[in-house]
Amino acid sequence: MQIEQIYTGCLAQGAYYITSNGEALIIDPLRETKPYLDRLERDGVKLKYIFETHFHADFVSGHVDLSKETGAPIVYGPNAKCEFECISAKDGQEFEIGNIKIKVLHTPGHTMESSTYLLIDENGKDHAIFSGDTLFIGDVGRPDLAQKAASMTQEQLAGILFQSLRNKIMTLADDVIVYPAHGAGSACGKNMSKETVSTIGEQKIKNYALRADMTETEFIQEVTDGLLPPPAYFGMNVAMNKKGYDSFEHVLDLGMRALSVIEFETAAEETGALLLDTRKNGEFAKGFIPQSINIGIDGDFAPWVGALIADVQQPILIICEVGKEEETVTRLSRVGFDNLIGHLAGGYDSWQKAGKEIDVVKRITAEQFATEVKIGQSKVIDIRKETEYSAEHVEDAYNKPLALINDWIKDVDTNEHFYLHCAGGYRSMIAASILEARGFRNFTEIEGGFNAIAKTSLPKTDFICQSKILK
C-alpha cells in the first residue's frame, strides 16, 4: 500500500493518490487529469474509484473528466445528488481496492453530504482518515457554506458537525493518521495549521474544536465566531461540481488561442472581457494595458481570482509572461473560470512595441514613504486581513481588507490623496489595478508593503502574536 498526498499550495488543497496490489483510488482530484493519468500509467495500476469528500466550493474537482477517461466510478457519501452518474454510498459502506478497504463515515456539518473516508489496511487495522473539510489540522470546516442548500442556519449545521466529530472521528484510535482536504490559506476554515498531516490523538490535544470538555453550545459559539463572508464564486463552483462542466482540454484550447495586438484589442471591445494581467506586481507597476487587473500568477492566484471576479462566466482575456500561458489557464480552470477568449501573443511587450496606450501605477519604496508620510495627517490604507492589521500596523492607518474592496471603494474620496500597502506588494497591486480601472489616480502604492515599512523608523503599534488574536 502506498499513500501520496498531492498538495497544491495555491489552493491550499490536498488530493490523495493511493495504490494497493495493482489498483488505485484518487480522493478529491484537481481539475486537470493528465498528471493522474500519467501516474497511473507509470505505476501500471488501474484506477478503481474516485472518491469525493463533498461538493467542493473553493475549486472545481477533476472527478467528471477523470471518470470519463478511466471508467472509474465517482463515489460520494450519503445525501449526494449529482447530475451525472455517481455512487451515493451508505454510511459504513466499504469499498475494496487491492488489499485495502475504504469505509465511508458520513460526517455532515460542513455540508450535509460531507463524508470522511477511513482506510483499513491489509491487516484489517484502521490506518488513516481522509477527512475532507470535516476536520482540518488545528481547525474544522466552516458550517455556513451549505446553510442555504440545507435550509438550516449555520448554528444548526455547526451542531450537526459537533455530533459528527464526537461520534465518528473522535472515537477512532489516537494513532489513526489524519489527511485533510486543506491547509493554511484556504477559505474553508478559519485558522488551519500549516501542517497537512496529523493524527487523531494529536488533534484531540491541539485542535480547539476537539476539546474533550467542550459542550455543543461552546462548540457552536467558537466555530461560528468571526466567520468572514465566503468568496462569491463558491456557490458557482459547487454547482459545477454537482452538474459537471466542459472538459479541461476544451478550456485549455480556448485559453491557448494566441491573439495579435489588433485581435486582442478587438476582442476586448466586442466582448467586454476582463483584462487579466498575471505578471509580477513590480512589472505591472511600470506599465500595463489600461483597464487591466493585476493578479500575479506567482502568488495566491486562484483564490484571489475567485474572490474578486465574482462571476465564473465572466469573459477573460489573458496578459501573461511569455511561457506562462498554460499555467495561467490551468489555474483559472481550477476555480471554474472557463470563459476564456485567449491570450495576448507576446504578452505585454507586444502591446508596448505596437505603440498602444499604456498606464502605470505610482509606486514608491518604503524608505520614500517614511520620508513623505505625515502620521496623523496623511491617509494610509492597509489592505491586509484584520488579523494582520491587529497584530501590528502603521500608526493611524486605516484597515480596508482587499477581499472587501468592492464595498469600501465606494467611500474613497477622489480629492484626497492616500497611501496604499499590504504585506509585501502582491495584494496592494491588485487593489491599485482595481482602483485605476475604476478611475482613481489619487494614491501612491508602497513597494514591499508592511514587511518593508516595518524596517523603517515610522511609528507602529505594538506587535501582538496573531495566534493570540485568533484564539
Side-chain angles (χ1 to χ4, degrees):
M1 175 183 71
Q2 289 187 322
I3 301 172
E4 182 178 349
Q5 181 185 66
I6 304 171
Y7 198 78
T8 304
C10 179
L11 291 172
Q13 189 268 345
Y16 296 91
Y17 172 83
I18 305 163
T19 61
S20 174
N21 195 25
E23 294 183 330
L25 68 99
I26 295 175
I27 300 174
D28 294 338
L30 282 182
R31 179 86 179 265
E32 62 275 20
T33 60
K34 190 174 185 301
Y36 304 118
L37 297 174
D38 289 347
R39 182 62 184 272
L40 290 164
E41 183 178 1
R42 185 168 70 250
D43 292 347
V45 295
K46 177 180 174 58
L47 183 62
K48 192 170 183 181
Y49 294 107
I50 301 158
F51 288 91
E52 290 285 330
T53 54
H54 63 295
F55 292 121
H56 304 284
D58 59 317
F59 73 99
V60 178
S61 177
H63 56 322
V64 174
D65 278 353
L66 196 55
S67 180
K68 287 178 181 176
E69 294 179 51
T70 65
I74 301 166
V75 181
Y76 280 92
N79 300 332
K81 296 179 181 178
C82 313
E83 295 187 22
F84 46 82
E85 188 174 344
C86 75
I87 298 171
S88 184
K90 296 177 182 178
D91 186 26
Q93 186 172 346
E94 295 183 354
F95 296 82
E96 293 186 1
I97 300 94
N99 299 324
I100 64 173
K101 293 179 181 179
I102 292 291
K103 183 176 182 179
V104 178
L105 306 180
H106 187 210
T107 50
H110 174 66
T111 67
M112 289 307 293
E113 80 284 350
S114 283
S115 295
T116 295
Y117 297 116
L118 172 63
L119 189 156
I120 302 169
D121 68 17
E122 300 93 332
N123 301 312
K125 182 180 183 298
D126 293 350
H127 179 79
I129 57 168
F130 303 88
S131 55
D133 286 18
T134 295
L135 175 64
F136 299 125
I137 309 306
D139 200 0
V140 292
R142 55 191 292 176
D144 61 318
L145 299 183
Q147 53 188 329
K148 184 177 179 181
S151 300
M152 296 179 183
T153 65
Q154 63 180 22
E155 288 76 19
Q156 288 172 318
L157 283 163
I160 292 171
L161 179 60
F162 176 84
Q163 297 299 330
S164 293
L165 292 166
R166 264 64 190 171
N167 299 329
K168 297 289 184 69
I169 302 293
M170 294 176 69
T171 55
L172 296 170
D174 285 352
D175 63 349
V176 171
I177 301 168
V178 178
Y179 291 110
H182 294 292
S186 170
C188 294
K190 290 192 301 182
N191 188 30
M192 288 176 247
S193 169
K194 292 181 181 179
E195 301 300 319
T196 61
V197 180
S198 184
T199 64
I200 295 290
E202 189 173 54
Q203 287 308 292
K204 286 179 181 178
I205 296 169
K206 296 181 178 180
N207 193 321
Y208 76 96
L210 268 58
R211 294 199 311 267
D213 62 347
M214 180 181 258
T215 67
E216 183 171 337
T217 300
E218 290 171 335
F219 177 88
I220 293 170
Q221 174 61 40
E222 292 195 36
V223 167
T224 58
D225 183 51
L227 287 174
L228 295 174
Y233 79 102
F234 269 27
M236 289 172 263
N237 273 199
V238 169
M240 292 175 75
N241 283 319
K242 282 185 178 181
K243 297 176 181 179
Y245 42 75
D246 288 335
S247 73
F248 170 73
E249 294 304 323
H250 173 68
V251 177
L252 185 61
D253 287 343
L254 294 178
M256 292 301 290
R257 289 188 299 208
L259 305 176
S260 68
V261 170
I262 298 301
E263 290 171 330
F264 186 91
E265 194 171 31
T266 301
E269 292 172 356
E270 292 181 349
T271 65
L274 182 142
L275 309 184
L276 181 62
D277 190 323
T278 68
R279 293 176 298 150
K280 291 181 174 64
N281 62 77
E283 293 302 310
F284 183 86
K286 297 172 187 175
F288 59 92
I289 299 172
Q291 299 297 308
S292 57
I293 303 301
N294 176 237
I295 305 179
I297 195 70
D298 293 330
D300 290 334
F301 176 72
W304 280 118
V305 167
L308 299 173
I309 308 173
D311 186 1
V312 296
Q313 296 300 321
Q314 167 70 51
I316 294 175
L317 282 162
I318 298 167
I319 307 120
C320 64
E321 182 183 333
V322 174
K324 295 275 190 176
E325 297 86 2
E326 184 171 343
E327 180 185 357
T328 301
V329 174
T330 299
R331 290 170 70 175
L332 283 168
S333 75
R334 288 175 180 168
V335 283
F337 288 84
D338 293 359
N339 192 5
L340 307 179
I341 310 299
H343 67 271
L344 178 59
Y348 171 74
D349 287 347
S350 65
W351 182 271
Q352 190 176 34
K353 288 174 183 176
K356 295 292 183 180
E357 180 185 356
I358 65 169
D359 212 339
V360 297
V361 170
K362 184 181 179 183
R363 167 176 260 198
I364 62 173
T365 65
E367 290 76 15
Q368 288 174 281
F369 172 61
T371 302
E372 288 184 19
V373 71
K374 294 179 174 59
I375 300 298
Q377 298 179 42
S378 303
K379 187 169 187 176
V380 179
I381 295 181
D382 181 336
I383 65 162
R384 294 176 299 161
K385 292 184 293 185
E386 288 183 13
T387 51
E388 295 172 278
Y389 173 84
S390 298
E392 187 180 25
H393 60 265
V394 173
E395 198 170 288
D396 287 340
Y398 293 86
N399 183 218
K400 303 288 185 182
L402 174 59
L404 304 177
I405 190 169
N406 288 323
D407 295 326
W408 61 257
I409 198 171
K410 295 175 288 190
D411 300 323
V412 174
D413 184 348
T414 56
N415 297 312
E416 180 184 24
H417 176 268
F418 60 94
Y419 294 95
L420 183 74
H421 78 83
C422 62
Y426 181 85
R427 287 173 285 177
S428 57
M429 193 55 65
I430 297 175
S433 67
I434 294 172
L435 285 162
E436 293 219 1
R438 306 272 182 93
F440 295 94
R441 294 291 187 276
N442 54 315
F443 67 90
T444 302
E445 188 264 350
I446 315 303
E447 181 180 4
F450 190 77
N451 294 339
I453 294 169
K455 298 174 183 176
T456 71
S457 59
L458 275 177
K460 296 170 283 291
T461 60
D462 291 336
F463 176 77
I464 302 170
C465 178
Q466 288 192 41
S467 64
K468 292 181 181 178
I469 296 171
L470 292 166
K471 285 182 179 177

